[in-house]
Amino acid sequence: MSTVLRTDPPATTAPATPRSSALRRPLLLVAGAGALVLCAALSLALGSRSIPLSTVADALTGAAHGGDADVVTGLRVPRTVIGLAVGAALGVAGAVAQGVTRNPLASPVTLGVNAGASLAVVAAIYALDLGRPVQYVWFAFAGAAVAAVAAYAMSRRGGDLDPVRLALGGTVLTVVLTSWTSALMLASHRTLDEARFWLAGSIGGRQLDTLTPVLPFLALGLLGAFAISPALNALALGDEAAQSLGVPVARIRLAGGLAVVLLAGSAVAVAGPVAFIGLAAPHLVRPLFGNDHRWLLPGCLIAGPLLLLAADVLGRLVVRPSEIEVGIVTAFLGAPLLAVLARKVAR
Amino acid sequence: MTSTTTTVESVTTANRLAAHGLDLRYGDRTIVDGLDLELPGGAVTAIVGPNACGKSTLLRGLVRLLDPAAGTVTLDGSDVHRMPARALAKRMGLLPQQPVTPEAITVEALVRLGRYPHQRMLSPWSKTDQAAVEEALARTGTAELRDQQVDRLSGGQRQRAWIALALAQDTELLLLDEPTTFLDLRHQLDVLDLVADLHAEAGRTVVMVLHDLGQAARYADHLVVLKDGRLAAAGPPTEVLTAELVEAVFQVPCRVVPDPETGTPLVVPRSRTRSRATGR
Amino acid sequence: MTALAVPVGTLTRRRARTAAWSALAAALLVVLTAVALGTGQVSLSGWDALRALVGQGDPGNVLVVQQFRAPRVVSALIAGAALAMAGSMLQRLFRNPLASPDTIGVTGGASFGAVLMLATGASQQLIPLAALGGGLLAALLLGGLAWRSKMAVTRLVLVGLAVQQGLAAAVNLMIVRFPAELAASAMQWTTGSLYGRNWTEVWIGGTAIALTALAVLLCQRRVAVLDLGDDSAGGLGLNPGRDRLRLLLLGITLASLAAALTGPVAFVALAVPHLVRLLAGPPTLGTLGLTALTGAVLLLSADLLVLHVIPVHGLPVGAVTATLGAPWLLALMIRQGRPPQRST
């Protein structure tokens, strides 16, 4: 038997060969990180008022004061930090969601997280007369968590989560929650007027106090996601194969689900529903890094914020001195990107 | 089952598939490279070769699931890629390597889909259609399974149901891509006997990709051996299948002896235990 | 499911089940239609309402029923049926249980067209036309992006999703930028509504939908062959890539026509095919009829609730279809144990 296997090299090595040298992926990561730093710098410098990078550096070190420096430290630093955190959370959440459900269409959006957060926030605006993003944080997080728990509860079967049921249940939930959100907004014009800006998804107009409450959840989510990344590789082979490799499939799926909720819940709580990054980041990273989740996740950790910050900077530039919400820009940019990618990878 | 001996006299001039300078590619990768090939009509042809030699790709090119990057495929002299799709599907049936079984479909419903090329858009289900389906079910021994769900059948039964679909298509040529993969020995032989019967009784021209050289030699009138997308040899198994060829193509030292049952060539690999020992 | 391991007569049993459910749905449809036509400021019995529909009885009643109530009821029926059929078709062709007009661009396109028309301040009459145009724009984008490359199904789903996201973003941008008043009516339109339909619209829309549905029916064999996978379909004389895309465009057209009539009502296209699959088995020509009937029943009952039962003004009908359909679908999913299994 062993001789047969040994004389059959093409069959066993063929799938592994296309990816080139071992250095490629670390180098790509470094290049990505470099691009991210550049993007962050641009995010600090550009906006309705452009500020030279030297002034930005002075402001950061505390050497400069006055108008421009205050803009940097008071507005753009929080905005950039929030963008980094939210982008990272969304990118990684997307990769884990797709890995856990084995569905390339899955994203935090599919699992009902954004819809749950949106409904909770809109209901809060409607009932409690709220008006500032920092007040929405806990409502959004709670709404996201409740929606995700509901989606999981629907997709449990025999103690395990059924990926198809999960995706389907999440989509059903999203449709229902979104329609209720619309109903609430149509019932009260004040709510609509207030909520539509939050619903577009934005990282502007927030201070770091919007981010700090969710930071522990975000960190925990990232930790969990990276901890299960090797197991996600096994999961990709199918439940039975994963089981036979000694991977506790049900527990991994639960852990993955929790990580997605923590990450996507934090993101939506801070920035509102930013579509597309969770979906696009893994699809962008996969052609570069392959399907190994141990590389995919770090890739998404960089690609997520890169996409988000780039989109945010662009949104500030195109209609200066006004700006377009980052959620709208990501959707606008991400859509053609996804279409091109889909074409390129097609045989 | 009746006698499975095949006669060379049945080789006719009709239903001759041929490739001329055929290049087949996936993206930038050339799989089949400038292949010239003529397959005899009215015979059973087996395409063999090592893994990744382009066997299945060639078959896909012959039924035009793949467009050639260069060269042509002809059926009795006319370019396959210029024929109307339906007209071709009436002459040539295909059993793919990994067909997709629609969820919860019954055997009969599956086999009925084989009549698709013969139906016009508005034509109702005809007696000819039903007769073809019945014959296909009877020939493959799936008549009593007709009401069962295909996705609940055993591997051997499922493969017969899929062959029945190709039979219901009622074509003179039948192309099968590794029809015996995933089957146990008995079911492998069942499938191959069925193919031999189709040829002997119904005069079908059969082209199949096979893995097992002994089976290929036993069941085929004509053998096509591929290596790295090029033709290594072609002809009757007794002439083609020599120890030198097998060693050259598969890199397996072997002896070729007459099959004690049928007299066709049988490839017996040489023992490797010694070479393994010295290799350490 | 394993409890039902008596395989003999599967096909017959499924047909009987389909027929029984279809009969039930048809009966429900007639009752609901009568109730819908009879309910309002002038109350009529179901029988009188149906008589008034065909011009019999009190002329006042005939006027109310024929001119005011019937167009709305008929649009609900037509649009519900069309959405459900389109959803079924899209899910089969995409081999994905999540495919629906909401995920492949029709909703985004129709909303885009309508909201754009609102923004220009043109006549309300033009909005359905703009919505149809928007839906077809989505189809055009999908077709244009996918036509030349022989595209695998998963990739096609992604292209659809991209189209949806892009168009939805455009709608979102307009809603955020609009003055509050206009934003509200845009919002109203994008959630779907049956207000203010007239016979002209119903006739034009109905005819177009009927013709498209007929084409869908005629193509069912082709859809069934595509279910066998691209290789088998190719062996049976189809061009899998092209034919799949053609049929998809047909499904999208059907959904766009429905969206032109009622706006992109949520959930019908997504849920009804799953419901029918759970009730009557995998999709065939026979279950397509049941799908259409179920869609019509769902949309009409939702509209009845919006109009006469729920005391909230301006409630979008999509909110009700979703709220009505979701528990039913979920209950069936839980009871069935195994969901519609169609992984890509």
Side-chain angles (χ1 to χ4, degrees):
Chain A
M1 196 62 209
S2 69
T3 40
V4 174
L5 285 178
R6 281 172 51 181
T7 53
D8 214 15
T12 45
T13 56
T17 39
R19 301 272 159 246
S20 47
S21 73
L23 264 180
R24 209 176 80 112
R25 292 192 282 202
L27 279 177
L28 270 170
L29 269 189
V30 172
L36 188 56
V37 170
L38 185 71
C39 231
L42 287 178
S43 168
L44 293 174
L46 298 176
S48 54
R49 180 157 45 148
S50 288
I51 300 169
L53 276 175
S54 57
T55 317
V56 171
D58 287 347
L60 287 181
T61 53
H65 296 282
D68 280 358
D70 287 346
V71 166
V72 170
T73 51
L75 296 175
R76 294 203 185 147
V77 167
R79 183 172 189 155
T80 306
V81 171
I82 287 174
L84 287 171
V86 167
L90 286 175
V92 174
V96 175
Q98 290 175 10
V100 165
T101 57
R102 282 200 297 265
N103 190 328
L105 285 185
S107 74
V109 183
T110 339
L111 305 185
V113 171
N114 282 358
S118 302
L119 179 60
V121 166
V122 170
I125 295 174
Y126 179 78
L128 304 175
D129 243 341
L130 302 183
R132 284 173 49 226
V134 67
Q135 298 172 308
Y136 305 158
V137 171
W138 290 117
F139 291 102
F141 195 83
V146 169
V149 168
Y152 288 128
M154 281 187 285
S155 49
R156 270 176 75 88
R157 196 171 57 88
D160 189 11
L161 293 168
D162 183 327
V164 180
R165 277 172 86 101
L166 181 61
L168 185 62
T171 306
V172 169
L173 200 67
T174 300
V175 174
V176 174
L177 295 177
T178 308
S179 65
W180 287 349
T181 309
S182 310
L184 266 182
M185 289 168 68
L186 286 171
S188 141
H189 281 202
R190 182 189 56 81
T191 309
L192 187 146
D193 202 24
E194 193 62 54
R196 58 185 168 143
F197 298 103
W198 186 84
L199 285 177
S202 167
I203 55 172
R206 289 153 170 78
Q207 288 303 313
L208 284 177
D209 61 350
T210 316
L211 180 64
T212 36
V214 299
L215 267 183
F217 299 104
L218 212 158
L220 203 63
L222 281 180
L223 220 63
F226 278 90
I228 63 163
S229 61
L232 286 179
N233 287 340
L235 219 57
L237 303 173
D239 284 1
E240 283 166 20
Q243 207 95 53
S244 70
L245 287 172
V247 173
V249 171
R251 244 182 297 159
I252 291 300
R253 250 206 278 279
L254 188 68
L258 270 176
V260 172
V261 174
L262 289 173
L263 290 170
S266 311
V268 72
V270 176
V274 176
F276 215 81
I277 293 206
L279 182 72
H283 283 289
L284 276 171
V285 172
R286 238 175 245 130
L288 298 173
F289 285 78
N291 284 320
D292 185 345
H293 283 85
R294 284 169 305 178
W295 287 102
L296 192 61
L297 258 56
C300 288
L301 188 69
I302 290 175
L306 194 62
L307 284 174
L308 190 79
L309 280 184
D312 191 45
V313 170
L314 195 69
R316 284 183 241 166
L317 293 184
V318 278
V319 287
R320 263 205 295 201
S322 176
E323 59 178 61
I324 298 178
E325 284 74 6
V326 69
I328 293 173
V329 180
T330 52
F332 262 132
L333 287 184
L337 199 64
L338 188 59
V340 167
L341 267 178
R343 265 167 70 102
K344 242 183 141 174
V345 193
R347 270 192 304 183
Chain B
M1 301 247 167
T2 49
S3 149
T4 60
T5 49
T6 49
T7 45
V8 186
E9 303 94 78
S10 67
V11 174
T12 57
T13 50
N15 299 325
R16 271 174 318 152
L17 260 179
H20 311 281
L22 185 66
D23 273 9
L24 295 172
R25 288 183 196 154
Y26 283 120
D28 303 333
R29 246 168 8 118
T30 301
I31 310 289
V32 169
D33 190 3
L35 193 69
D36 284 303
L37 185 68
E38 188 133 348
L39 304 179
V44 175
T45 300
I47 304 176
V48 297
N51 285 339
C53 71
K55 310 182 287 268
S56 293
T57 307
L58 172 61
L59 202 76
R60 289 171 61 87
L62 292 178
V63 287
R64 77 170 205 186
L65 287 176
L66 259 183
D67 291 334
T72 54
V73 176
T74 59
L75 177 58
D76 293 336
S78 45
D79 189 343
V80 160
H81 287 84
R82 292 204 180 150
M83 283 166 86
R86 253 175 211 248
L88 185 68
K90 284 183 191 171
R91 296 199 56 189
M92 208 145 75
L94 168 75
L95 175 65
Q97 194 170 2
Q98 286 171 326
V100 180
T101 303
E103 171 207 6
I105 197 171
T106 63
V107 171
E108 186 174 359
L110 181 78
V111 176
R112 283 167 78 117
L113 290 176
R115 297 302 297 167
Y116 178 78
H118 298 273
Q119 294 177 294
R120 301 264 113 232
M121 194 175 248
L122 282 171
S123 66
W125 187 250
S126 71
K127 281 191 176 151
T128 330
D129 291 330
Q130 190 59 37
V133 167
E134 294 299 336
E135 199 197 327
L137 289 170
R139 263 191 189 284
T140 52
T142 47
E144 58 274 27
L145 303 175
R146 63 167 71 211
D147 232 352
Q148 303 217 16
Q149 287 187 18
V150 179
D151 46 16
R152 292 189 190 164
L153 298 179
S154 71
Q157 290 171 328
R158 194 178 307 174
Q159 190 67 317
R160 284 194 313 207
W162 275 98
I163 293 178
L165 180 149
L167 290 188
Q169 199 174 337
D170 196 21
T171 55
E172 289 154 357
L173 271 104
L174 194 56
L175 283 76
L176 307 111
D177 194 354
E178 301 199 13
T180 54
T181 321
F182 305 124
L183 299 182
D184 63 29
L185 187 59
R186 200 197 101 202
H187 287 110
Q188 288 185 15
L189 292 178
D190 281 353
V191 165
L192 291 168
D193 283 342
L194 178 63
V195 169
D197 282 352
L198 287 173
H199 169 61
E201 291 172 16
R204 308 260 168 117
T205 304
V206 177
V207 179
M208 54 185 169
V209 171
L210 284 181
H211 252 302
D212 188 303
L213 292 176
Q215 286 178 351
R218 232 190 223 205
Y219 285 92
D221 310 313
H222 189 80
L223 209 58
V224 171
V225 187
L226 290 187
K227 191 196 179 197
D228 298 334
R230 292 168 187 275
L231 191 64
T238 37
E239 292 172 20
V240 167
L241 220 51
T242 60
E244 296 75 46
L245 178 93
V246 174
E247 176 149 15
V249 171
F250 290 89
Q251 272 98 43
V252 176
C254 66
R255 295 166 58 194
V256 173
V257 297
D259 188 324
E261 281 292 314
T262 55
T264 51
L266 185 65
V267 174
V268 182
R270 287 185 189 277
S271 167
R272 291 221 217 162
T273 41
R274 223 187 42 178
S275 60
R276 261 166 74 198
T278 51
R280 286 211 185 117
Chain C
M1 224 158 172
T2 41
L4 302 171
V6 192
V8 183
T10 313
L11 215 55
T12 333
R13 215 180 46 219
R14 268 187 207 151
R15 280 195 189 127
R17 223 179 325 160
T18 309
W21 282 111
S22 301
L24 189 70
L28 205 58
L29 195 71
V30 173
V31 172
L32 283 172
T33 307
V35 172
L37 291 175
T39 316
Q41 285 194 329
V42 183
S43 237
L44 299 174
S45 76
W47 178 243
D48 283 344
L50 287 178
R51 273 169 41 105
L53 180 65
V54 292
Q56 303 277 310
D58 179 60
N61 291 347
V62 171
L63 182 76
V64 168
V65 168
Q66 282 191 345
Q67 290 310 310
F68 299 115
R69 293 182 189 164
R72 180 167 183 151
V73 171
V74 176
S75 344
L77 294 179
I78 299 174
L83 281 172
M85 282 173 80
S88 160
M89 184 114 161
L90 295 177
Q91 286 174 13
R92 265 179 103 175
L93 291 169
F94 274 121
R95 299 179 177 283
N96 193 307
L98 302 183
S100 84
D102 306 313
T103 47
I104 60 146
V106 181
T107 300
S111 306
F112 176 70
V115 173
L116 197 65
M117 192 55 83
L118 267 176
T120 63
S123 149
Q124 293 273 333
Q125 307 290 321
L126 291 176
I127 289 182
L129 219 56
L132 175 63
L136 295 180
L137 172 72
L140 211 67
L141 285 173
L142 182 70
L145 288 166
W147 186 259
R148 293 190 54 200
S149 50
K150 286 189 170 178
M151 201 171 268
V153 184
T154 32
R155 315 260 174 249
L156 208 56
V157 178
L158 287 178
V159 175
L161 208 64
V163 171
Q164 167 67 24
Q165 296 273 0
L167 291 169
V171 173
N172 221 339
L173 182 62
M174 285 191 275
I175 288 185
V176 173
R177 289 284 162 273
F178 277 173
E181 197 61 28
L182 203 53
S185 52
M187 193 82 202
Q188 177 85 51
W189 209 92
T190 56
T191 46
S193 136
L194 290 153
Y195 288 101
R197 294 282 78 90
N198 60 48
W199 274 120
T200 322
E201 290 166 356
V202 171
W203 274 120
I204 297 173
T207 313
I209 284 176
L211 289 175
T212 318
L214 187 70
V216 166
L217 282 176
L218 290 177
C219 290
Q220 281 307 296
R221 276 183 194 154
R222 201 169 292 194
V223 178
V225 170
L226 280 174
D227 275 350
L228 299 176
D230 283 2
D231 283 3
S232 296
L236 286 167
L238 289 186
N239 180 334
R242 288 274 155 92
D243 279 314
R244 190 183 300 278
L245 200 55
R246 274 198 198 109
L247 291 168
L248 276 176
L249 297 185
L250 197 60
I252 293 178
T253 308
L254 195 58
S256 305
L257 285 167
L261 208 52
T262 62
V265 176
F267 206 73
V268 178
L270 174 70
V272 170
H274 289 291
L275 290 175
V276 170
R277 185 190 295 270
L278 293 169
L279 293 175
T284 61
L285 192 61
T287 59
L288 202 62
L290 178 57
T291 306
L293 282 171
T294 314
V297 166
L298 180 60
L299 192 51
L300 183 57
S301 28
D303 191 44
L304 266 176
L305 288 179
V306 167
L307 260 186
H308 304 302
V309 182
I310 305 172
V312 180
H313 177 70
L315 188 69
V317 70
V320 181
T321 48
T323 315
L324 264 186
W328 188 20
L329 178 64
L330 296 176
L332 278 173
M333 261 174 70
I334 288 164
R335 218 190 55 191
Q336 202 80 13
R338 190 84 199 153
Q341 179 84 55
R342 263 182 167 232
S343 49
T344 41

